[in-house]
Amino acid sequence: MTAATHSTLFPQVPDSADAVLEGLDPEQREVATALHGPVCVLAGAGTGKTRAITHRIAYGVRAGILHPSSVLAVTFTNRAAGEMRGRLRQLGAGGVQARTFHSAALRQLQYFWPKAIGGAMPRLVDRKIQLVADAAAACRIRLDRGELRDVTAEIEWSKVTQTVPADYAPAAAKAGRESPRDPAEIAQLYAAYEDVKRERSVIDFEDVLLLTVAVLQDRHDIAEQIRAQYQHFVVDEYQDVSPLQQRLLELWLGERDSLCVVGDASQTIYSFTGATPDHLLDFRTRHPGATVVKLVRDYRSTPQVVHLANGLLAQARGRAADHRLELVSQRAAGPEPVYAEYTDEPAEAEGAARRIRELVDSGVPPSEIAVLFRTNAQSETYEQALADAAVPYQLRGAERFFDRPEVRKAGIALRGAARFGDNDSLLDDVVDLPSQVRAVLSGEGWTTQPPAGSGAVRERWESLAALVNLAQDFAAARPAATLADLVAELDERANAQHAPTVQGVTLASLHSAKGLEWDVVFLVGVAEGMMPITYAKTDEQIEEERRLLYVGVTRAREHLHVSWALSRSPGGRPSRRPSRFLDGLRPGSTATAGRTAAGGAGGIERGIPGTRGSAPKRAQRVPARCRVCGRTLTDPGEMKLMRCDDCPSDMNEGLYERLREWRADQARSSGQPAFCVFTDRTLMAIAESAPDDERELARIPGVGMRKLTRYGADVLAICAGQSLAESTDHD
């Protein structure tokens, strides 16, 4: 379940551009209002990155700064693109293009193919496996199903890293990839695969990007036409950009810098596909004038879940770990994570199903529960265990909601009722919208009580029940809505792939769970050999496995269950041990030796206006220490005060109250929340240090250049004991 579908209520469209900014925290607000020049948003898990960037686009559109058709928001999945379009529509910014890299490139390639290439565009194939098999047959190389899949993955990696067949062997060696067969054979198969495609006049998904890049490089007139269309770019999940996608983005941009990227190096989990966080981490080097905003306020998870997530990365190594963000939970305290050890995998699945049954019986909706595992092969055991416990479930990655046959049939029935309802005896005795929907869908198989057991019948009922619930929420938000209005809403949601909530426990791999969240998460199979997986050998691969577990932990809002089994099957030798990543974090374990990575606090870093080319040399970071006791500070609030929370304060109480009164006046006059002027912590820091000049004031965390320029004179006058009138007269 995504944040967007956590509530299926229909919020009112903000009535102005300023109303779009309401409810954003200071860092999110900075993202939303930083509409010019390059912007880099480093956003930790659960910190509201999608909220920040959708409000950024909506604010720019509603304020008249951005034209909707000139904005291209790029995401990595169709689901994420659909969610973004849905949110933008709710914010009154319809018409903005939100697409995946492949979708945007395919649209451009189809439009410009006759002009750039001529003739009919080759057919796009959905799957490569058969073509790879035919290429292997042409090379007289026998591949089993597993080898076919692995060779296909190597071809995909080669293409997104812009590696040609002749260069495969040295490129794979340099990247530290373990080829599934001799590298020379892979190169031979890769070349044969390209020959097969040419002979059959077909292209694959990677070709869509490669061909679009080629067209934009060779045809400057076409490149300029696209740049005239799209003048402002937003890229989500920027840590997952491949070299090929980065090249396409550069061609879209040209010499402009109207770019906002969002990402988190600690959630880089797709390096096997060619994704690299280097583009995110090097953004400030390429764009010295960029504004960098760090989001670390975690609104999703309880402090207990956040503590475990931060602990997982505390022993991480590598470049991504050097740039990790230290999350700060904004939620009330919750239960501690639960750790459980089982004798074998079936017992582990039965234990999880038994606990899930208890949660459902206590009132937790099944849609708010997820079971996450490392490999898809683990799913079957949990499907059986949940079915035995009479718990409904849904498989992540299955057919999209609006593509399900029962949903399509329900849409046809609702559309017919909306047009000819006066002649439908089913609707004779119903007046309100939810009753009309229930009456229509009763003819499609919906009943007031779910069918017993699981399987296809239950899944169809769950789909129809989701539509019934959506109708109830729609009517509650818009009491005057008609059945025709609901049908129009369903059509818009189908186009955006903005699906309603389906009641059922989600079973998903950790990779497919990225971007989702639930109240309760069961992380299962967290044992050596599975987490990290056996074939993770290098330090880089081990660290990616750690980040994958981090992604799993940060999916949980409140309840987190972590489990492992000592053997695979009943009666097996209990030779497994819990994952090394839990050492020092689960009760009774000790931490493994390792370097602790420095966590990054939230905040805003201004770029150097007008600068291009190489970035200035970065000053060496000095750990923040308490000015009272000398302890190293890691909490952002303590770092702002430069002292521990429990160390004695020398704050001037009178000065603090005068600053608070001044802040309240500023907030009233500007029509914004008080914390957007200065937070309480920043006011406390000012009252404790009582700065004498702008240089001292600028040293205080939370006082950036913009606020120094806007409020500096007032704050220094108050610190000097002057009235603001005296300060103005003196100036």
Side-chain angles (χ1 to χ4, degrees), residues 163-433:
T163 302
V164 297
D167 295 336
Y168 170 77
K174 183 179 180 181
R177 293 182 75 84
E178 289 190 18
S179 299
R181 295 181 70 98
D182 181 87
E185 275 192 338
I186 299 290
Q188 182 185 3
L189 289 165
Y190 179 12
Y193 168 78
E194 293 297 316
D195 289 340
V196 169
K197 286 198 292 115
R198 276 191 293 272
E199 291 168 2
R200 300 180 186 179
S201 295
V202 297
I203 59 175
D204 60 28
F205 277 102
E206 288 71 38
D207 290 330
V208 170
L209 300 185
L210 285 163
L211 289 168
T212 306
V213 165
V215 168
L216 295 182
Q217 287 179 157
D218 294 344
R219 293 290 301 266
H220 297 292
D221 57 330
I222 293 176
E224 288 306 317
Q225 193 172 339
I226 291 175
R227 290 168 192 159
Q229 168 71 52
Y230 296 117
Q231 299 166 15
H232 189 85
F233 295 85
V234 177
V235 184
D236 196 9
E237 304 289 2
Y238 194 56
Q239 77 279 351
D240 290 330
V241 166
S242 70
L244 179 55
Q245 290 166 332
Q246 175 64 23
R247 180 60 185 143
L248 177 59
L249 178 62
E250 291 167 355
L251 288 166
W252 280 341
L253 273 168
E255 295 299 315
R256 300 165 302 173
D257 62 0
S258 186
L259 171 66
C260 174
V261 301
V262 190
D264 178 10
S266 295
Q267 296 188 68
T268 305
I269 59 173
Y270 295 108
S271 66
F272 60 90
T273 67
T276 170
D278 289 346
H279 305 299
L280 174 68
L281 299 178
D282 293 337
F283 191 83
R284 193 68 177 270
T285 302
R286 296 194 311 276
H287 304 279
T291 297
V292 178
V293 184
K294 297 179 181 179
L295 305 182
V296 297
R297 304 174 198 248
D298 189 323
Y299 297 96
R300 174 188 299 157
S301 304
T302 62
Q304 287 73 15
V305 173
V306 167
H307 178 73
L308 176 58
N310 287 336
L312 276 173
L313 296 184
Q315 297 298 323
R317 299 170 180 270
R319 192 176 182 211
D322 291 338
H323 294 80
R324 74 181 180 92
L325 299 168
E326 187 86 19
L327 299 177
V328 182
S329 176
Q330 305 298 299
R331 294 193 55 182
E336 292 290 339
V338 175
Y339 300 88
E341 182 174 278
Y342 294 90
T343 56
D344 52 64
E345 289 182 3
E348 183 181 6
E350 291 168 8
R354 187 166 52 250
R355 179 61 185 134
I356 291 171
R357 179 74 263 173
E358 294 170 355
L359 289 166
V360 172
D361 290 343
S362 70
V364 178
S367 60
E368 288 296 349
I369 305 173
V371 178
L372 307 182
F373 32 74
R374 176 62 179 84
T375 67
N376 287 318
Q378 295 168 271
S379 174
E380 186 176 353
T381 305
Y382 289 89
E383 292 178 53
Q384 185 61 55
L386 289 172
D388 291 344
V391 174
Y393 64 86
Q394 56 179 329
L395 292 175
R396 178 72 192 153
E399 195 172 27
R400 293 192 297 187
F401 181 82
F402 288 104
D403 293 335
R404 297 175 185 176
E406 65 271 17
V407 174
R408 289 202 301 267
K409 286 183 63 181
I412 293 171
L414 289 170
R415 187 170 288 105
R419 295 177 64 185
F420 309 111
D422 292 342
N423 300 320
D424 192 336
S425 59
L426 279 173
L427 304 182
D428 285 348
D429 298 323
V430 294
V431 290
D432 64 319
L433 177 59

Side-chain angles (χ1 to χ4, degrees), residues 11-17 19-22 24 50-59 61-62 84-94:
Q12 295 297 314
V13 174
D15 58 9
S16 66
V20 172
L21 302 178
E22 291 177 1
L24 300 181
T50 306
R51 176 180 174 82
I53 59 176
T54 51
H55 281 68
R56 179 183 195 271
I57 296 170
Y59 176 72
V61 169
R62 299 291 298 277
M84 186 172 289
R85 287 193 294 270
R87 290 198 188 196
L88 289 170
R89 183 164 61 92
Q90 292 170 348
L91 291 170

Side-chain angles (χ1 to χ4, degrees), residues 48-88:
K49 70 178 179 66
T50 306
R51 176 180 174 82
I53 59 176
T54 51
H55 281 68
R56 179 183 195 271
I57 296 170
Y59 176 72
V61 169
R62 299 291 298 277
I65 300 170
L66 305 176
H67 193 278
S69 63
S70 72
V71 180
L72 178 58
V74 186
T75 68
F76 276 77
T77 65
N78 287 318
R79 177 196 56 77
E83 177 184 328
M84 186 172 289
R85 287 193 294 270
R87 290 198 188 196
L88 289 170

Side-chain angles (χ1 to χ4, degrees), residues 588-601:
S589 65
T590 57
T592 53
R595 176 185 58 80
T596 300

Side-chain angles (χ1 to χ4, degrees), residues 7-10 434 466-478 501:
S7 171
T8 54
L9 294 177
F10 298 80
L467 294 175
V468 170
N469 292 334
L470 185 73
Q472 292 171 340
D473 289 341
F474 189 67
R478 304 179 188 176
T501 302

